[in-house]
Amino acid sequence: MSSSVKPNISLDTLEQVDIRVGTVIEVEDIKKSDKMVKLVVDFGDFTRSILVGMKKEREDPTEIKGKQALFVVNLDTKKMFGEISEGMLFDIGYSDGIIPVLAQPEKPVPNGTRAG
């Protein structure tokens, strides 16, 4: 699999992205959508609702409940299907056309731990 590298960005630009570890505490179906679920994610000092299009990617999206993963937490909120999304799951594989997997720490770390 070969894909071109995105254009270079400055370290200052990269440092603006707030990527943190969170634990998925709920996975809720969004009945109005054929692909979206709502994750409730614990980041230690705060909790966020994050909408993710994983219904068609997994037989059972609830299998990620209780798992830690990386999330972008400083995106503008977005309303979809009557729900508010307060971040983005940082997953691996979607852009390359493979079934995405979670980007996870190699061992448990405190919720809210920053990447980078």
Side-chain angles (χ1 to χ4, degrees), residues 82-93:
E83 302 278 349
I84 299 291
S85 186
E86 303 172 295
M88 183 182 85
L89 173 65
F90 197 78
D91 64 2
I92 300 166

Side-chain angles (χ1 to χ4, degrees), residues 1 6 29 37 48 60 69 79 85-86 90 92:
M1 164 184 345
K6 293 179 181 179
D29 184 37
V37 296
R48 293 273 174 94
D60 180 11
K79 188 171 186 174
S85 186
E86 303 172 295
F90 197 78
I92 300 166

Side-chain angles (χ1 to χ4, degrees), residues 54-64 67 89 91 99-102:
M54 68 168 45
K55 267 191 206 177
K56 292 184 176 181
E57 297 167 359
R58 297 169 183 268
E59 262 187 57
D60 180 11
T62 63
E63 70 187 2
I64 68 166
K67 294 190 179 199
L89 173 65
D91 64 2
I99 296 173
V101 295
L102 299 178

Side-chain angles (χ1 to χ4, degrees), residues 86-116:
E86 303 172 295
M88 183 182 85
L89 173 65
F90 197 78
D91 64 2
I92 300 166
Y94 179 82
S95 297
D96 292 316
I98 64 171
I99 296 173
V101 295
L102 299 178
Q104 299 179 289
E106 69 179 82
K107 59 185 177 183
V109 297
N111 288 332
T113 300
R114 292 176 288 171

Side-chain angles (χ1 to χ4, degrees), residues 8-97:
N8 289 349
I9 61 172
S10 70
L11 190 54
D12 288 342
T13 299
L14 180 62
E15 287 177 352
Q16 292 177 37
V17 181
D18 193 344
I19 301 171
R20 296 187 186 219
V21 174
T23 298
V24 177
I25 55 176
E26 292 293 330
V27 180
E28 300 173 12
D29 184 37
I30 296 179
K31 296 190 186 335
K32 296 177 187 174
S33 172
D34 63 347
K35 63 182 203 174
M36 302 296 279
V37 296
K38 178 171 89 171
L39 307 181
V40 178
V41 184
D42 177 4
F43 291 100
D45 292 340
F46 58 94
T47 301
R48 293 273 174 94
S49 293
I50 298 178
L51 303 185
V52 181
M54 68 168 45
K55 267 191 206 177
K56 292 184 176 181
E57 297 167 359
R58 297 169 183 268
E59 262 187 57
D60 180 11
T62 63
E63 70 187 2
I64 68 166
K65 186 176 178 180
K67 294 190 179 199
Q68 286 192 314
L70 297 178
F71 297 85
V72 178
V73 297
N74 66 331
L75 289 176
D76 290 336
T77 59
K78 185 172 183 179
K79 188 171 186 174
M80 297 178 279
F81 304 101
E83 302 278 349
I84 299 291
S85 186
E86 303 172 295
M88 183 182 85
L89 173 65
F90 197 78
D91 64 2
I92 300 166
Y94 179 82
S95 297
D96 292 316

